[in-house]
Amino acid sequence: MRQCQRLYAPLLCPLALFGALATHAVAATLHAQPSPTAILDKVRANSNRPIDFHAATFPDTVYVGQQVTYQVAVLLSESARTRLRRNPEFLPPELRGLLAYELGAPRRVAPRSYGGAPFEAHVFQRALFAVAPGTLMVPAPQLSYTLPQSSSYFSREERFIVRAESAQLVVTPLPDAGRPPDYTGAVGVLRASVTIDSSTARVGDPLVLTMRVSGIGNVKLLPRPVLELSWASTVPGTERVSVDTSGAFVRGYKEFDWILTPSQAGRVEVPTLRYSYFDPYRGAYAYAETAPRALAVDDGTLATAVEGDNASVLTLRTWRGASTSSLAVRLEAWRLPLLVVLLLAPLPWLVLAIGARIGGTRRSRAAATASVPRPVTLRVAGEDDGDHARYTRRTLLGALAQRLNVSPQELVSRRDVERTVRRRGVTRDTTKALLVLLDALAVQGFSEVPTAVAARDDLTARADALLAAIHAEAVTHARTIRAARHAQARFALFVALSAAAIATPKRTVAALPVTPGPALVQATNAPPGGTLEATVARATALYEQRQYSRSAELFADAAQARPADADLLANWGVAAWAAGDTVSAVIAWQRAARLEPVAVDAQERLTLLPAGARGGVAEVPMIPVPALVLAAIAAWLLGWAMLAVVRAQRSRGRTSAWMGFASTTAVVALLVAVGAAAAAAWGYRELDATGVLVVRRPDTMRTAPGNDANAMGGVATGDVVRVEAARDGWLNVVHADGRRGWLPAGRTIPLVSPAVIR
């Protein structure tokens, strides 16, 4: 797997970077809450009050159970801020039919002007939840404060009372359309998960199942779901609630416990549990679903199958005799040439585009010179200088409109003339001279008092000269300029992609103080004599004879010889699982699944592992990274090749119906390449086992490094964690269930051995 990752990482760089530049992120489904100071943009302060007071709700129409943000703003004038001796007293409104939470911390805003007077604002927030539909009134809150009557220290104080606005809130009932039959009243944006305190059990012995419902909303009011199992009796247990009000939304989680007592033996499963809720931001009902949990229930023992018994065991994979990394091995020598080909794929199109730009500009100027007549001498008979100036100005603007291929209505104002001629490539000096001439003609032609700004011949000569200059400088059409800018942008993008690909640093693995355990030691020994085929055959025979421990050792030796062979790793895990070696089973099955994430049997093996070895940092997504990389490369080359062909045909003046289809197909191919590269990059990151460890002996997680630190729950044998930091023989890890804490380094073993990492 590490060989595949080293091969595909530089190939993914230009494609993923191009995807980031070519696509936009999808917007969040939640409607954004108002900013913590939104009320300041809504209120109108009274500059006659030394301290002003306002209140508002956001929004004013909600569903039952949806959050309403209630903001209160206290505005202090400069004089009040200097004279105020004690904090004002706030009397909140009496809320009926609403549940309230203090939201975040008070905000102090820099002084801003209201009605010409500066005020310093202090904003307080509350989250309100309506429990019943209807129209609710939020009464006006009250603020009382005292100010001294003079600047003397012994001056008497005068008491003032101000009231803010009352608010009206419309609470809409939940819709009947689409309401699930099992809906019990939960409102918010929720997700659910299930954990069991043991991966094995026996008939008659109770165990605890916990369902956690978390997300955005008033989690205190979440109702308990119904749980019924055919293989066990269920008794409701305790409930735990945690509410977080530090952000813009009230969020948290609520945990529901059940006491399960199994009544039948065998492999049983906690099915997918569905918790229905109403999403007020989408206005629709939805389900929060949990993942199914498998459980082994024994008749009278908690131990796993021992060697020589008649218990049912897992079947071995048929060894294909080839390493999974064979594709990476074949392409290893072609990595650099293939990367060069990917970076040079847009080069033919760029060369043709730049060549067409240069040739098109020359042809357009030659055609413009041949097709547009020389500037007509602007002369008119008459004695009135004003008539001559007006005629000259009108004729000059008409000639400009014809030369620049625009409508005369686009050259009405001075700003329009300047913008239009500059966009057509006219130099700054010529544009300035044109504007000066138009101003002179306007003064002479439209002034109420006759004014001779310049002689007729001088104005006419200047107009003729400017038309000739504009005729030589202007580009025939703005499309040529846009094409040139687009070509320059694409060339800059190509250069940026090339530089990013060349400068991409290789990923390194930090050295962690991890003590090798027995499973790692056995995985670093070469097969003891004989060929690899003989070792695999001997291990398979021992497994069929139910000598699981010896079979697991031989499979481990074979997997060390071929660390990227998913078949050997899967069989090593099966033998270790049958022998009761949970740590080796977790290591082998996790590595096999990360090599072949789309293999169904590999994913099924992961569901057999303990609860601490599934989900979170131990999750293995089913995404085929090599196939996506090859698809991205093929689509990338195809898209640029078709664009180059279309550009070559157009440069020769050929047009046909298939060129439009080819252009569309090329764009689609490039978008497919971008999407496949982005998906492959995400899969590569998720399948990376760097820093992933397996707990080989139970221990207690600590809030800080050291045995004297507070405990925060335990870890069991086979649990999967990811290292965040290391200090003094302790590791700061993230557990598969989301917990963060410190563990002794000697209690863990790396998922990927150092030999495989290198």
Side-chain angles (χ1 to χ4, degrees):
M1 183 63 192
R2 299 300 304 178
Q3 296 174 356
C4 294
Q5 293 173 349
R6 291 198 302 270
L7 171 66
Y8 297 133
L11 301 182
L12 292 175
C13 175
L15 299 180
L17 181 58
F18 182 81
L21 296 175
T23 58
H24 296 284
V26 179
T29 57
L30 295 181
H31 291 186
Q33 286 294 99
S35 66
T37 59
I39 188 175
L40 300 181
D41 301 326
K42 183 178 180 181
V43 301
R44 295 182 178 179
N46 188 350
S47 58
N48 296 326
R49 293 180 179 178
I51 298 180
D52 206 1
F53 189 42
H54 297 275
T57 57
F58 303 90
D60 53 6
T61 302
V62 293
Y63 288 101
V64 175
Q66 182 181 354
Q67 176 178 327
V68 178
T69 302
Y70 182 68
Q71 294 185 356
V72 175
V74 180
L75 306 178
L76 302 177
S77 64
E78 292 184 357
S79 60
R81 185 162 51 86
T82 56
R83 296 167 56 195
L84 198 64
R85 295 178 177 177
R86 61 179 63 89
N87 292 331
E89 296 179 0
F90 170 65
L91 181 62
E94 182 180 356
L95 301 177
R96 296 182 179 180
L98 294 169
L99 300 178
Y101 295 88
E102 296 296 333
L103 199 60
R107 295 294 184 103
R108 179 181 177 181
V109 184
R112 61 171 65 182
S113 178
Y114 290 96
F119 284 84
E120 179 182 287
H122 297 262
V123 181
F124 306 83
Q125 292 190 107
R126 278 188 171 186
L128 308 180
F129 294 88
V131 296
T135 302
L136 302 179
M137 292 298 299
V138 180
Q142 177 179 302
L143 185 74
S144 60
Y145 62 94
T146 58
L147 293 177
Q149 296 179 352
S150 66
S151 59
S152 173
Y153 179 81
F154 302 98
S155 173
R156 299 180 57 185
E157 294 183 341
E158 184 176 3
R159 182 180 179 86
F160 300 89
I161 297 178
V162 291
R163 295 181 181 273
E165 302 88 348
S166 60
Q168 178 175 302
L169 189 62
V170 178
V171 183
T172 305
L174 301 183
D176 295 330
R179 177 176 297 186
D182 58 346
Y183 178 72
T184 54
V187 178
V189 182
L190 308 176
R191 58 183 181 272
S193 61
V194 166
T195 58
I196 305 177
D197 63 345
S198 176
S199 61
T200 59
R202 64 180 179 181
V203 175
D205 286 354
L207 64 155
V208 179
L209 181 145
T210 301
M211 180 177 182
R212 170 181 283 198
V213 181
S214 60
I216 296 174
N218 190 2
V219 294
K220 286 186 177 181
L221 299 183
L222 295 181
R224 173 184 284 271
V226 178
L227 177 63
E228 294 181 359
L229 300 175
S230 60
W231 51 269
S233 61
T234 60
V235 178
T238 59
E239 298 181 3
R240 294 172 297 278
V241 179
S242 176
V243 180
D244 181 12
T245 60
S246 59
F249 288 94
V250 174
R251 62 178 68 236
Y253 66 86
K254 191 172 187 178
E255 293 181 340
F256 308 92
D257 290 344
W258 285 270
I259 308 299
L260 307 184
T261 305
S263 58
Q264 64 183 50
R267 298 292 298 181
V268 297
E269 183 182 71
V270 178
T272 299
L273 304 180
R274 307 179 70 188
Y275 190 82
S276 61
Y277 65 93
F278 178 75
D279 187 343
Y281 304 100
R282 294 190 298 114
Y285 294 90
Y287 282 98
E289 297 184 351
T290 66
R293 295 290 187 228
L295 186 66
V297 180
D298 296 331
D299 284 328
T301 178
L302 291 172
T304 58
V306 295
E307 299 185 33
D309 62 10
N310 294 322
S312 60
V313 293
L314 301 174
T315 58
L316 296 176
R317 266 192 185 187
T318 301
W319 184 48
R320 292 167 289 184
S323 175
T324 307
S325 64
S326 57
L327 178 63
V329 173
R330 289 195 301 268
L331 294 179
E332 178 68 24
W334 295 92
R335 180 177 60 179
L336 183 58
L338 188 58
L339 180 60
V340 173
V341 170
L342 285 175
L343 295 177
L344 296 182
L347 191 58
W349 179 88
L350 288 173
V351 172
L352 292 173
I354 296 175
R357 156 70 181 126
I358 297 175
T361 303
R362 292 176 179 175
R363 288 193 299 270
S364 63
R365 289 184 176 178
T369 304
S371 60
V372 179
R374 293 183 176 274
V376 179
T377 302
L378 303 174
R379 301 186 184 277
V380 64
E383 299 298 335
D384 187 6
D385 291 339
D387 292 340
H388 183 274
R390 289 191 294 270
Y391 179 83
T392 303
R393 190 175 188 276
R394 181 169 60 254
T395 308
L396 175 60
L397 291 177
L400 282 176
Q402 180 182 3
R403 175 61 185 86
L404 302 179
N405 194 21
V406 297
S407 174
Q409 286 74 18
E410 298 183 22
L411 302 176
V412 175
S413 65
R414 191 177 191 273
R415 181 183 181 87
D416 294 338
V417 173
E418 181 181 8
R419 181 174 63 251
T420 303
V421 297
R422 288 293 294 155
R423 286 184 175 179
R424 295 307 189 274
V426 179
T427 61
R428 192 181 302 276
D429 294 338
T430 304
T431 303
K432 183 177 180 181
L434 175 63
L435 296 176
V436 171
L437 177 59
L438 291 176
D439 292 342
L441 291 173
V443 171
Q444 185 165 330
F446 300 101
S447 177
E448 295 181 358
V449 180
T451 303
V453 178
R456 294 187 183 185
D457 294 339
D458 182 40
L459 293 176
T460 302
R462 289 167 60 186
D464 288 343
L466 284 174
L467 277 178
I470 293 173
H471 176 73
E473 296 175 0
V475 181
T476 303
H477 199 271
R479 182 181 301 174
T480 308
I481 296 179
R482 290 197 297 268
R485 292 176 178 175
H486 292 171
Q488 295 171 0
R490 295 186 184 97
F491 183 75
L493 176 61
F494 168 73
V495 174
L497 291 175
S498 304
I502 296 174
T504 301
K506 293 185 177 180
R507 191 168 186 173
T508 58
V509 181
L512 298 175
V514 181
T515 303
L520 183 60
V521 173
Q522 70 179 13
T524 57
N525 295 327
T531 63
L532 181 63
E533 291 76 7
T535 302
V536 174
R538 177 60 178 165
T540 304
L542 290 173
Y543 185 83
E544 294 175 351
Q545 298 171 8
R546 297 186 179 273
Q547 299 182 23
Y548 303 128
S549 298
R550 181 55 183 161
S551 176
E553 293 176 2
L554 293 179
F555 274 125
D557 295 337
Q560 170 58 22
R562 283 192 176 179
D565 194 320
D567 295 338
L568 295 179
L569 290 171
N571 292 340
W572 174 27
V574 169
W577 182 259
D581 187 356
T582 305
V583 175
S584 297
V586 171
I587 293 175
W589 283 345
Q590 278 279 340
R591 287 170 56 182
R594 293 174 188 271
L595 284 171
E596 292 185 353
V598 295
V600 177
D601 61 337
Q603 295 290 338
E604 290 177 349
R605 297 292 188 266
L606 294 180
T607 61
L608 304 178
L609 296 177
R614 304 191 304 270
V617 298
E619 188 70 25
V620 181
M622 299 181 67
I623 179 168
V625 175
L628 289 174
V629 170
L630 295 179
I633 293 174
W636 180 264
L637 297 177
L638 175 63
W640 285 112
M642 295 186 69
L643 285 179
V645 172
V646 172
R647 171 59 68 179
Q649 294 294 328
R650 289 179 177 174
S651 62
R652 297 174 184 174
R654 301 177 183 176
T655 58
S656 59
W658 76 270
M659 292 179 62
F661 174 76
S663 299
T664 303
T665 305
V667 173
V668 172
L670 291 178
L671 292 178
V672 170
V674 169
W682 176 82
Y684 165 76
R685 184 179 64 253
E686 293 297 319
L687 296 176
D688 185 14
T690 304
V692 179
L693 308 177
V694 179
V695 178
R696 58 178 182 146
R697 282 191 291 174
D699 209 315
T700 302
M701 295 181 67
R702 305 286 178 176
T703 57
N707 293 321
D708 56 344
N710 295 332
M712 53 179 308
V715 293
T717 301
D719 287 1
V720 176
V721 297
R722 183 183 292 275
V723 178
E724 297 288 329
R727 187 200 307 172
D728 300 333
W730 288 77
L731 302 177
N732 186 8
V733 299
V734 179
H735 195 271
D737 59 9
R739 291 179 296 158
R740 296 177 180 269
W742 292 83
L743 281 176
R747 295 292 191 268
T748 60
I749 184 173
L751 180 62
V752 181
S753 63
V756 177
I757 294 177
R758 290 193 294 268

